[in-house]
């Protein structure tokens, strides 16, 4: 078994799509639109088996969880960029471009080299070597 994809509700479908394409080299599938539900989505792939489904539909409430605090449930996902240098470079690029870095580049106790940023809608994304 393997994880096929994760799904993220968004208020800015095109903005989130462009964020992951620009910073994480995602490839985007064609837009899907269900007219009866006013539901729109894209699947983004990153060269591996797992993908992200970005979804937008009126009436979806904003989360009550704080993106800067821990809480139960899905708290982050990680994107592997290939090296410590790439973690450092991408983290700094995102910081310069105005995105929040909530975890500076570091080697964790379990041996990962990573940083943590917030995407445009406050989802935690770990950037790992």
């Amino acid at each position: 078994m393997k994880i096929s994809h994760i799904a993220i509700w968004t208020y800015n479908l095109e903005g989130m799509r462009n964020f992951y394409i620009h910073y994480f080299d995602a490839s985007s599938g064609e837009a899907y639109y269900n007219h009866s539900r006013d539901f729109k989505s894209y699947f983004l792939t990153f060269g591996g088996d797992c993908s992200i489904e970005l979804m937008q539909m009126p009436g979806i409430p904003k989360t009550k969880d704080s993106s800067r605090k821990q809480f139960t449930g899905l708290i982050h996902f990680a994107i592997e960029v290939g090296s410590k240098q790439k973690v450092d470079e991408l983290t700094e690029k995102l910081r310069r471009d105005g995105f929040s870095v909530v975890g500076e580049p570091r080697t964790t106790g379990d041996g990962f080299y990573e940083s943590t940023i917030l995407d445009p809608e406050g989802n935690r994304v770990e950037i790992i070597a």
Side-chain angles (χ1 to χ4, degrees), residues 15-80:
M16 287 283 279
R17 176 178 172 260
N18 291 336
F19 172 81
Y20 285 100
I21 289 171
H22 179 75
Y23 291 103
F24 293 97
D25 296 327
S27 296
S28 177
E30 294 294 317
Y32 168 76
Y33 184 51
N34 179 318
H35 295 278
S36 65
R37 295 182 29 200
D38 198 19
F39 171 85
K40 300 174 187 173
S41 70
Y42 286 105
F43 273 91
L44 305 178
T45 58
F46 299 86
D49 291 334
C50 189
S51 58
I52 294 175
E53 180 182 13
L54 297 175
M55 308 178 304
Q56 181 178 334
M57 186 170 69
I60 301 299
K62 288 192 176 202
T63 184
K64 294 178 182 166
D65 297 318
S66 168
S67 59
R68 296 194 176 267
K69 295 182 180 179
Q70 298 290 340
F71 52 87
T72 58
L74 184 64
I75 190 65
H76 74 264
F77 58 92
I79 298 177
E80 186 175 331

Side-chain angles (χ1 to χ4, degrees), residues 66-124:
S66 168
S67 59
R68 296 194 176 267
K69 295 182 180 179
Q70 298 290 340
F71 52 87
T72 58
L74 184 64
I75 190 65
H76 74 264
F77 58 92
I79 298 177
E80 186 175 331
V81 296
S83 71
K84 290 180 178 183
Q85 180 179 345
K86 287 182 180 178
V87 170
D88 293 344
E89 290 170 355
L90 183 54
T91 302
E92 286 310 309
K93 179 176 176 61
L94 286 156
R95 185 191 325 269
R96 282 192 313 273
D97 290 350
F99 295 97
S100 295
V101 176
V102 295
E104 294 295 330
R106 69 205 175 281
T107 300
T108 63
D110 53 359
F112 287 96
Y113 188 78
E114 65 183 41
S115 68
T116 306
I117 60 98
L118 300 179
D119 75 9
E121 294 200 3
N123 300 296
R124 287 177 180 236

